[in-house]
Amino acid sequence: MKFCAVKQYFDDENNNNITSGASTTMIPLPNVESHPLAILITYCKKHLKIKANNADNKKETEKEMEQYEQELLKKVMPQELTELILAANYLNFKEALDFFCRAVASAIQNKSIEFVRKFFGLESDFELGEEEKLREEFAWSFEGVDED
Amino acid sequence: MTTESDTKRKKYAEVDRISNLPDLLLCHILSFLPTKQSVATTILSTRWKPLWTMVPVLDFEDIKRQNQDDAAESNDGMTFTHFVWRVYALRKPIHVKKLKLQFHNRSVVDPIYVRTWISYAIGHHLEELRLYLLGNLSQPVELPQSFYNSESLKVLRLDGEVLLNCPSFVHFPNLEHLFLGFGIKYANDDCFRRLISCSSHLKNLFVFSDPKDKNVRFKLDINAPILKYLFLWGRDCQDYLLENVTNVVKAYVYLLGLRHNDEHENYGHCILKLLRAIPNVKTLTLHFTKGLSFAFTYDIPKFNNLRLLELRVSCCEWQLLPKFLESAPNLENLFLKKVNTEGPHESCWTEPPHVPKCLTSHLQSFYFLGFRSLDHELELVKYILNNAKVLKTMGIQTGLSDFEENFLILKKLPGFPRCSLTCRLEFSTVYSPSLSLSLTVSDSSQPSLLLGSSKETMAQYPPSNRSPDTKSGL
């Protein structure tokens, strides 16, 4: 089971002997909104389906998964990614967590700091001159970024 | 619908959502960036200022500057080396889960520094080490002694100017993935054997050697009971001794007969011995460099689990094919990849005495790459079509771009009787990369190393842009 948090819930239930064999148990997930949860469930199902289809051929699995992931990223807006990351983290769903974090990382890879600020919706709250000092201290970091 | 998504977009744009994530998740995101970039996030805001120091990944790449001069070090501030030292000094003393160092071919970095950087990481619970030291180093980087007893190391990939000088006691209890690329130097004969034999958890092994490298002339013993994926490229086949590798599920073998240029028999004998060591293999790519016509006198081991077989051969040198068909009763996918030559051509196909079991009950696809409709090639295609009862796809690919030539080849094809009613004949002029078992390196962000100078490597094939009039599905 990929959603480790949910698995934990089932394990706990079995220990307490509350229900047995009930397939429509309601599991409270207070920290996850319905929209990201729906996406994660689809992601998980797709992942398992592709894996089952291509049990022998790892390369095919990777390729299909990549294709699916590209499609998914086109539909999901950048800001939604943070919700997905939080949801995946809460559910302890490692593959999805890594995937979405990697997606955020590649969105900001090699971009200028101004772009990243805009992308995240952040504002600089440094005191005057502090930012300049930091830029100087790590000058090598700021070379060679893409144009905005 | 548009208005709804518009308002949604507006709602998202106004709110800063990234700050909802806890520090740990932000660091997780940063761990997917090269360290150069993650350090740069320090100026995003006061909250972001210290985050890069808590990222458990160190990923350094010495980027080639546009006007870089070999002799002159940049005088206007920080260089790559300065930057790396800075990072090491300022980061929090937490684990280093992954260390990656990548130099370009004109990098000038002190190898002693590199050794220190690696030592630090090993001392901080390193799990993954990737070195691409293709630089202009004064001497190869010798890995620190502490490296050879790393309890936490799971993934090791070495390429370039690295010197392995194994002590007598080598212990990698958790090593699962070992990749030894081009240019690695071994201080003594025993080194490689020690590396392999003390990694009882080893699952994937890749060994590349440059066939022209005269320094590598000693035996490599591979004794790894849990090994699942074996990739051997480039050495003389007599350099290898495979023991206790019966769990190998996927293998790629491209070995040469360098030492005995005229003695094909020794080469063949050697290859067969290697094959006998991996009887449970499910996916096998075998790349011959010499014809093995004499091999009819030897028995190819039975491969009961073999589902996918790829044979890369030279023109007119695939005499072993019928033997393989006979010894792989459950074979489902067969690829024959041929490197073409001018000729003269001689037949290398003989029909097996009985129809092989895989043809009657299992073979679903057969792809012939480099097809030139030579007589014996047509015989093979005819035989397969005639006997493969469950064949779904017969793929013929020429790799030629000239329309005339392709048309001449295509003309000879249809009209062969087909045993399987569901069989589809595909003709294509270009090689489709997806069909190949090229090396799948798990970390796909790496630059793809040139796998030798062979033109056959799939990385160089054009993608499958089949023009409509040259493809026919008959």
Side-chain angles (χ1 to χ4, degrees):
Chain A
M1 178 175 284
K2 296 281 176 180
F3 288 12
C4 298
V6 177
K7 179 169 191 270
Q8 190 67 40
Y9 187 89
F10 277 122
D11 286 342
D12 286 344
E13 269 207 359
N14 284 335
N15 288 339
N16 292 337
N17 282 328
I18 295 175
T19 50
S20 54
S23 57
T24 51
T25 326
M26 279 191 32
I27 304 167
L29 292 173
N31 285 348
V32 187
E33 289 178 28
S34 54
H35 183 55
L37 182 62
I39 297 184
L40 284 178
I41 290 176
T42 324
Y43 182 90
C44 187
K45 280 191 180 152
K46 189 76 189 186
H47 199 207
L48 290 171
K49 185 168 152 226
I50 293 178
K51 227 175 169 177
N53 280 348
N54 293 316
D56 288 336
N57 194 348
K58 190 165 170 226
K59 186 150 202 229
E60 277 301 309
T61 316
E62 281 171 15
K63 219 184 78 163
E64 264 199 67
M65 201 61 209
E66 257 176 56
Q67 273 176 344
Y68 168 71
E69 285 172 356
Q70 293 306 318
E71 288 301 316
L72 183 63
L73 282 178
K74 283 186 200 146
K75 293 186 209 144
V76 167
M77 287 203 309
Q79 289 82 348
E80 273 183 287
L81 283 174
T82 51
E83 285 186 359
L84 284 163
I85 291 175
L86 276 171
N89 184 49
Y90 178 75
L91 290 168
N92 212 343
F93 184 1
K94 188 171 188 300
E95 283 92 344
L97 177 63
D98 282 351
F99 169 63
F100 291 118
C101 284
R102 202 176 286 130
V104 175
S106 51
I108 60 171
Q109 182 138 358
N110 236 19
K111 296 277 193 276
S112 70
I113 286 295
E114 287 74 24
F115 177 92
V116 178
R117 276 217 186 102
K118 234 172 33 181
F119 183 79
F120 284 149
L122 290 171
E123 285 195 9
S124 168
D125 53 350
F126 284 118
E127 289 183 7
L128 212 61
E130 201 175 339
E131 191 183 314
E132 285 313 306
K133 239 177 45 177
L134 283 171
R135 270 195 191 266
E136 217 181 284
E137 229 180 290
F138 295 105
W140 195 84
S141 254
F142 299 101
E143 291 176 18
V145 290
D146 290 346
E147 295 295 320
D148 269 350
Chain B
M1 267 311 262
T2 30
T3 40
E4 193 184 297
S5 66
D6 269 351
T7 43
K8 194 178 173 198
R9 217 174 279 273
K10 222 176 147 198
K11 172 187 166 206
Y12 273 116
E14 281 163 10
V15 179
D16 163 22
R17 299 231 162 208
I18 194 79
S19 305
N20 282 348
L21 295 178
D23 281 359
L24 204 66
L25 284 181
L26 290 179
C27 286
H28 193 59
I29 294 176
L30 290 182
S31 70
F32 293 106
L33 288 171
T35 304
K36 174 179 192 259
Q37 284 255 274
S38 86
V39 167
T41 62
T42 192
I43 65 168
L44 281 178
S45 75
T46 46
R47 186 196 172 189
W48 282 78
K49 186 171 163 196
L51 286 180
W52 72 267
T53 63
M54 301 187 284
V55 175
V57 166
L58 294 174
D59 180 340
F60 297 112
E61 188 182 330
D62 189 10
I63 315 247
K64 203 174 197 169
R65 291 226 195 91
Q66 271 163 350
N67 305 314
Q68 185 148 358
D69 195 342
D70 269 332
E73 279 267 299
S74 165
N75 281 326
D76 53 345
M78 209 179 244
T79 61
F80 172 72
T81 313
H82 288 146
F83 177 75
V84 176
W85 280 123
R86 210 63 204 265
V87 169
Y88 269 90
L90 292 174
R91 78 183 291 273
K92 297 274 183 302
I94 56 170
H95 286 170
V96 178
K97 271 181 44 191
K98 173 176 159 186
L99 169 63
K100 183 181 137 213
L101 281 172
Q102 189 172 329
F103 298 165
H104 59 78
N105 59 9
R106 293 167 106 201
S107 285
V108 185
V109 181
D110 191 336
I112 308 281
Y113 288 170
V114 181
R115 218 178 129 152
T116 317
W117 296 336
I118 298 171
S119 275
Y120 172 98
I122 306 258
H124 285 77
H125 213 262
L126 186 66
E127 289 177 22
E128 195 177 320
L129 176 63
R130 291 175 190 264
L131 300 178
Y132 301 86
L133 307 183
L134 309 166
N136 207 359
L137 305 175
S138 53
Q139 53 180 315
V141 172
E142 186 174 337
L143 294 177
Q145 292 293 295
S146 57
F147 165 77
Y148 297 102
N149 291 307
S150 171
E151 303 244 330
S152 49
L153 198 64
K154 288 197 185 128
V155 173
L156 175 62
R157 179 170 172 159
L158 301 174
D159 284 287
E161 301 285 307
V162 178
L163 173 63
L164 289 170
N165 188 359
C166 304
S168 47
F169 182 65
V170 178
H171 189 51
F172 290 119
N174 286 309
L175 190 64
E176 288 173 13
H177 180 108
L178 177 58
F179 185 118
L180 299 169
F182 286 126
I184 306 294
K185 314 221 175 338
Y186 302 95
N188 55 55
D189 290 10
D190 246 352
C191 222
F192 182 85
R193 188 187 53 77
R194 286 188 207 145
L195 264 185
I196 307 291
S197 58
C198 49
S199 319
S200 49
H201 280 82
L202 197 62
K203 283 202 201 126
N204 302 333
L205 175 64
F206 293 69
V207 184
F208 278 85
S209 339
D210 185 351
K212 300 192 213 78
D213 188 349
K214 296 279 183 287
N215 291 325
V216 285
R217 279 290 170 259
F218 39 78
K219 281 223 182 298
L220 304 177
D221 290 353
I222 299 174
N223 184 334
I226 304 198
L227 197 66
K228 284 216 140 86
Y229 193 167
L230 177 65
F231 190 111
L232 301 174
W233 200 97
R235 279 173 177 272
D236 187 292
C237 54
Q238 298 209 7
D239 283 341
Y240 285 102
L241 179 63
L242 297 182
E243 294 174 303
N244 207 4
V245 289
T246 49
N247 280 317
V248 169
V249 158
K250 194 163 172 185
Y252 184 116
V253 176
Y254 169 43
L255 296 176
L256 314 167
L258 294 171
R259 286 192 199 148
H260 308 273
N261 276 321
D262 298 324
E263 294 171 33
H264 286 204
E265 207 167 312
N266 270 333
Y267 175 70
H269 201 43
C270 203
I271 297 279
L272 289 177
K273 199 160 138 207
L274 288 174
L275 291 181
R276 267 180 224 119
I278 46 172
N280 295 318
V281 69
K282 267 170 98 166
T283 307
L284 175 64
T285 301
L286 200 46
H287 189 150
F288 296 160
T289 53
K290 295 182 199 293
L292 300 174
S293 48
F294 60 87
F296 277 107
T297 55
Y298 297 122
D299 273 322
I300 294 193
K302 263 261 187 284
F303 290 110
N304 285 322
N305 284 342
L306 192 60
R307 299 279 189 275
L308 201 158
L309 173 65
E310 178 181 336
L311 291 176
R312 296 195 183 193
V313 293
S314 306
C315 197
C316 311
E317 287 190 348
W318 34 277
Q319 298 89 341
L320 265 188
L321 180 60
K323 282 255 168 175
F324 270 110
L325 289 176
E326 283 172 338
S327 56
N330 295 310
L331 191 65
E332 289 171 9
N333 301 293
L334 176 62
F335 294 82
L336 185 63
K337 285 194 188 160
K338 196 192 92 179
V339 174
N340 285 300
T341 55
E342 285 306 311
H345 299 291
E346 54 177 48
S347 174
C348 55
W349 165 249
T350 44
E351 278 187 24
H354 310 283
V355 177
K357 180 161 176 274
C358 63
L359 286 187
T360 53
S361 52
H362 284 90
L363 194 70
Q364 291 178 23
S365 73
F366 173 56
Y367 283 89
F368 195 139
L369 279 70
F371 188 77
R372 288 289 181 277
S373 56
L374 298 174
D375 285 338
H376 58 265
E377 294 177 357
L378 289 169
E379 291 289 311
L380 172 66
V381 170
K382 200 162 137 194
Y383 183 79
I384 304 267
L385 282 175
N386 218 6
N387 289 295
K389 293 206 173 111
V390 294
L391 192 69
K392 289 197 189 121
T393 316
M394 159 78 78
I396 308 280
Q397 300 187 352
T398 60
L400 290 169
S401 46
D402 183 75
F403 180 73
E404 288 279 341
E405 291 184 48
N406 280 308
F407 189 65
L408 285 171
I409 293 175
L410 181 59
K411 267 198 321 186
K412 295 193 190 171
L413 278 176
F416 289 147
R418 247 167 268 184
C419 178
S420 158
L421 295 170
T422 54
C423 180
R424 195 167 154 259
L425 181 65
E426 279 180 19
F427 179 84
S428 150
T429 57
V430 293
Y431 296 145
S432 169
S434 63
L435 296 176
S436 159
L437 295 183
S438 46
L439 167 63
T440 51
V441 179
S442 55
D443 185 348
S444 56
S445 63
Q446 295 322 306
S448 53
L449 279 189
L450 191 63
L451 303 181
S453 55
S454 160
K455 289 205 184 72
E456 286 191 85
T457 50
M458 274 325 217
Q460 297 180 14
Y461 283 146
S464 161
N465 292 323
R466 301 177 189 195
S467 55
D469 47 347
T470 46
K471 170 162 180 191
S472 68
L474 295 171

